[in-house]
Amino acid sequence: MKQLEKKNVVDAQGGTILPGFIDTHVHMMMEYTPLSERLTKPFSYMYFEAQKYLENTLNAGVTSVRDALGTDLGVKKAIEEGLIKGPRMQLSINALTITGGHGDGTQLNGDVLDLLPSGHRGMPDGRCDGVAEVRKKTREMLRAGAEVIKVHATGGVLSPTDHPEFTQFSLEELKAIVEEGRFRKGVKVMAHAQGSEGIKNAVRAGIHSIEHGIFIDDEAIELMLENGTYLVPTLLAPVSVLETADEKGMPQSAVEKSKEVIEQHRASFTKAYQAGVKIAMGTDAGVMKHGTNLRELGLMVDAGMTPMDAIVATTKTASECLGWSDQVGTLEEGKLADVVITKGKPLDDIYSLANNDEIQYVLKGGQVQKISYLLSKS
């Protein structure tokens, strides 16, 4: 492994040694807060909050993430140059969305209340309609540093004026987005897609990964298998909306939609997994607290996945989804030294990984990010 100092030996003391975990769907610049807090928070304060979110993610053993909107190039640069601690990042910058769709923060009274500010330097606004506009907006995201393009192909749970089953963007618009990414040395596209029609449109357009996939049907599964499309299920997202609704001031519409979709979401995951669809772990962290990422593994196991497959989904398969399988995802000579040591045996108790105290040691790129007291004395 690269960058690991010679003669630096750590005794795992009976724990389990794993590759660094990967979360392929996060929002590192936010944690959902009540509206009153968002309205009174100075703009730049979110960058200082994000430092804690990034640190919490590392403490959970997550050494690489794909940011699904909201983080600009400066944050990634600050991590890479050692100004702040955080996981390795793949950026989408901001998501493309239709006027009035998921990602358009315009409320029913006409006020705009985005979950994250957009339209500022480094964060182009994502709203666009028609083939010409989506091409230009994709180019703006690429110019701002996007390494993957994010598009909202359907409505969603947290948006005020649509429903998860609503279809956004035409097939022609989605194809134009995919084409623009391909022109830039094969930049992939990830699609927030919850309704079955939107999922199928995204797959037919050549989109690389389906995020959420709540209403997957048999035809969508066949298309995903034919095209090698990844599913990033984020089972934790609607669970967390219901758990934190009162504390975080979640909109009542989001609570009702979460109740409506939660069982369907789980059933769709089970069907896709049993059919052999490639599944990469993702959580939608930011909707819930950062650092709680590995709760997702227990939810996947509850829905029928084996513990080993859940670990593979958040290591090897996740690295393949990000196009980083030559660097991370497995413990092999020549790859970056991303290593996690857990206290116990996660194959026997996958739910233990939800407790960050279970994560005893985290190495990212050969640099120690977290070490327990006992291991530090070994």
Side-chain angles (χ1 to χ4, degrees):
M1 295 180 187
K2 300 176 183 177
Q3 302 179 18
L4 186 60
E5 295 180 11
K6 293 180 179 178
K7 300 181 181 179
N8 185 10
V9 178
V10 176
D11 183 355
Q13 298 191 8
T16 303
I17 301 172
L18 299 135
F21 298 116
I22 301 167
D23 190 331
T24 67
H25 191 120
V26 300
H27 302 282
M28 293 308 315
M29 291 300 297
M30 66 166 276
E31 275 185 6
Y32 198 95
T33 55
L35 178 59
S36 59
E37 290 186 29
R38 283 183 275 148
L39 291 175
T40 57
K41 190 178 297 180
F43 171 78
S44 60
Y45 188 73
M46 66 178 180
Y47 288 95
F48 298 96
E49 287 182 307
Q51 290 187 57
K52 191 63 178 176
Y53 305 155
L54 293 160
E55 184 179 347
N56 289 345
T57 301
L58 279 176
N59 285 338
V62 176
T63 55
S64 297
V65 299
R66 182 173 62 165
D67 192 272
L69 73 80
T71 302
D72 61 30
L73 189 58
V75 176
K76 175 172 178 163
K77 185 176 175 65
I79 293 170
E80 290 180 341
E81 296 187 359
L83 294 179
I84 57 175
K85 290 177 63 174
R88 189 176 295 102
M89 301 190 75
Q90 185 174 100
L91 301 181
S92 66
I93 305 298
N94 202 0
L96 278 58
T97 190
I98 64 168
T99 299
H102 186 66
D104 182 346
T106 305
Q107 307 298 308
L108 292 174
N109 66 355
D111 290 337
V112 178
L113 299 171
D114 289 318
L115 287 177
L116 280 167
S118 63
H120 58 85
R121 286 186 178 184
M123 187 59 56
D125 188 286
R127 281 167 287 202
C128 51
D129 303 285
V131 170
E133 283 191 16
V134 301
R135 284 191 185 278
K136 182 174 182 180
K137 195 59 64 174
T138 303
R139 293 170 183 176
E140 287 181 8
M141 298 304 166
L142 292 164
R143 181 177 64 186
E147 301 157 292
V148 60
I149 298 299
K150 169 78 179 294
V151 59
H152 290 147
T154 70
V157 169
L158 287 180
S159 43
T161 58
D162 61 26
H163 184 274
E165 291 188 274
F166 290 1
T167 301
Q168 297 186 179
F169 291 114
S170 67
L171 181 59
E172 290 72 24
E173 289 169 318
L174 294 173
K175 284 181 176 179
I177 295 165
V178 171
E179 185 177 59
E180 287 299 321
R182 190 169 65 245
F183 288 162
R184 295 292 187 99
K185 296 184 179 179
V187 171
K188 306 294 187 184
V189 181
M190 58 188 295
H192 163 107
Q194 299 183 355
S196 60
E197 182 181 16
I199 293 169
K200 287 179 277 194
N201 279 349
V203 177
R204 289 182 178 122
I207 280 169
H208 181 65
S209 68
I210 299 298
E211 315 297 305
H212 316 302
I214 292 172
F215 292 96
I216 282 178
D217 61 18
D218 291 340
E219 184 182 11
I221 287 173
E222 287 303 315
L223 285 169
M224 293 177 75
L225 291 170
E226 289 172 15
N227 290 274
T229 313
Y230 289 85
L231 172 64
V232 179
T234 69
L235 296 172
L236 186 53
V239 171
S240 295
V241 168
L242 295 180
E243 288 177 345
T244 63
D246 293 337
E247 175 191 353
K248 298 297 185 181
M250 291 284 182
Q252 188 59 34
S253 61
V255 173
E256 293 303 319
K257 283 188 276 186
S258 291
K259 289 178 180 177
E260 177 186 345
V261 305
I262 196 164
E263 289 304 321
Q264 177 63 47
H265 196 182
R266 175 173 165 157
S268 292
F269 168 86
T270 303
K271 183 188 293 187
Y273 170 64
Q274 291 175 345
V277 171
K278 294 187 291 188
I279 294 175
M281 192 278 272
T283 62
D284 222 354
V287 173
M288 74 291 299
K289 291 186 183 226
H290 294 283
T292 64
N293 311 62
L294 298 188
R295 284 188 66 194
E296 181 77 15
L297 304 186
L299 293 174
M300 291 195 292
V301 169
D302 287 345
M305 185 175 260
T306 68
M308 178 58 84
D309 282 351
I311 290 173
V312 170
T314 192
T315 52
K316 184 177 184 290
T317 307
S319 73
E320 293 165 351
C321 181
L322 269 60
W324 287 357
S325 59
D326 61 332
Q327 302 178 67
V328 294
T330 56
L331 298 177
E332 297 181 68
E333 184 177 354
K335 291 192 175 184
L336 298 175
D338 283 16
V339 181
V340 169
I341 300 176
T342 64
K343 188 185 298 183
K345 295 178 173 56
L347 288 179
D348 295 337
D349 183 9
I350 196 73
Y351 308 100
S352 66
L353 293 176
N355 180 358
N356 287 358
D357 291 339
E358 179 73 10
I359 310 299
Q360 298 285 287
Y361 183 81
V362 179
L363 195 71
K364 180 193 124 188
Q367 301 297 316
V368 177
Q369 307 294 317
K370 175 184 179 180
I371 187 167
S372 73
Y373 175 77
L374 289 176
L375 288 183
S376 70
K377 296 298 183 182
S378 63

